[in-house]
Amino acid sequence: QVQLQESGPGLVKASETLSLTCAVSGASISPYYWSWIRQPPGKGLEWIGHLSNSGSTNYNPSLKSRVTILVATSKNQFSLKLSSVTAADTAVYYCARAMPDHTFDIWGQGTMVTVSS
Amino acid sequence: EIVLTQSPGTLSLSPGERATLSCRASQSVTSNYLAWYQQKPGQAPRLLIQGASSRATGVPDRFSGSGSGTDFTLSISRLEPEDFAVYYCQQYGRSPITFGQGTRLEIK
């Protein structure tokens, strides 16, 4: 059974960098795409970006200048870094597995990140 | 980017009734790359429908998807108590991947 688990600080100061890790268990990270998606409190879903099985990345243009998604294949993990955060970046952050057609079939439970001033 | 507009914002129905949720795209969705997700409070979204009409593994057959181009529909034939949740559509035919704003299905 494939499981994803996000981890990282729940509180980040404004202007600093948000860093999260997603641990993948029950499957190899190699054959799939791996995404980050976020959801501000009481609002809808926003795709942040993904990492392909070839190591290439694709980011939402609205966040592209601040986002980095990296893979640690040996650890079966991938990570998210979002720089220069503001209160607008406060959200639940989900990691998810994307099928080749980019539907998200498996999700982590999500982790709440609050940006404080 | 493709903007997805879902309607209605909130749908109030009773168990046993039929639900029809709409998702309209600002541009044609390539190859009907349109998915539907269900989200319950405090939980991650769950994939229901992909390719506009194919049910994901384990999804009951009371859920069905239809549509093409810019107009898509999620139907739930007979509502069960566990179906009351928020539903999102998602397009993945053109980057960036985008989601609709959601339809809340509540018990009447």
Side-chain angles (χ1 to χ4, degrees), chain B residues 7-46:
Chain B
S7 60
T10 302
L11 185 58
S12 299
L13 294 170
S14 300
E17 291 190 296
R18 180 182 182 86
T20 302
L21 287 66
S22 174
C23 177
R24 178 162 290 179
S26 60
Q27 307 170 43
S28 183
V29 177
T30 305
S31 302
N32 288 340
Y33 282 161
L34 193 288
W36 290 93
Y37 298 82
Q38 175 193 67
Q39 187 178 33
K40 297 180 180 179
Q43 296 184 17
R46 170 197 179 196

Side-chain angles (χ1 to χ4, degrees), chain A residues 35 37 39 42-47 50 58-62 94 99 101-105 107-110, chain B residues 1 33-35 37 39 42-47 49-51 88 90 92 95-101 104:
Chain A
S35 283
I37 297 156
Q39 185 172 36
K43 296 187 177 181
L45 301 161
E46 180 180 31
W47 174 72
H50 72 229
N58 187 16
Y59 301 135
N60 193 321
S62 67
Y94 295 100
M99 302 301 286
D101 64 2
H102 300 300
T103 53
F104 304 110
D105 67 331
W107 296 64
Q109 65 184 25
Chain B
E1 73 176 44
Y33 282 161
L34 193 288
Y37 298 82
Q39 187 178 33
Q43 296 184 17
R46 170 197 179 196
L47 177 64
I49 300 289
Q50 61 197 98
Y88 293 96
Q90 174 224 344
Y92 47 98
S95 187
I97 292 168
T98 52
F99 292 88
Q101 84 279 14
R104 180 178 304 277

Side-chain angles (χ1 to χ4, degrees), chain B residues 40-97:
Chain B
K40 297 180 180 179
Q43 296 184 17
R46 170 197 179 196
L47 177 64
L48 298 176
I49 300 289
Q50 61 197 98
S53 60
S54 298
R55 276 188 300 276
T57 303
V59 175
D61 60 8
R62 64 180 181 274
F63 290 90
S64 63
S66 63
S68 64
T70 60
D71 290 298
F72 298 88
T73 300
L74 174 70
S75 299
I76 311 172
S77 58
R78 288 179 57 85
L79 286 165
E80 298 286 345
E82 62 267 27
D83 298 336
F84 292 91
V86 178
Y87 292 83
Y88 293 96
C89 57
Q90 174 224 344
Q91 71 79 26
Y92 47 98
R94 186 175 301 178
S95 187
I97 292 168

Side-chain angles (χ1 to χ4, degrees), chain A residues 29-112:
Chain A
I29 204 167
S30 298
Y32 298 97
Y33 286 63
W34 302 92
S35 283
W36 288 96
I37 297 156
R38 68 181 184 179
Q39 185 172 36
K43 296 187 177 181
L45 301 161
E46 180 180 31
W47 174 72
I48 298 171
H50 72 229
L51 180 71
S52 77
N53 51 6
S54 66
S56 64
T57 53
N58 187 16
Y59 301 135
N60 193 321
S62 67
L63 299 168
K64 187 174 183 177
S65 63
R66 300 193 291 131
V67 172
T68 304
I69 298 176
L70 297 172
V71 65
T73 306
S74 60
K75 296 182 179 180
N76 231 35
Q77 295 177 346
F78 62 106
S79 65
L80 169 70
K81 293 188 183 298
L82 182 65
S83 64
S84 304
V85 296
T86 69
D89 296 309
T90 293
V92 175
Y93 285 76
Y94 295 100
C95 59
R97 186 178 80 171
M99 302 301 286
D101 64 2
H102 300 300
T103 53
F104 304 110
D105 67 331
I106 298 175
W107 296 64
Q109 65 184 25
T111 186
M112 180 68 199

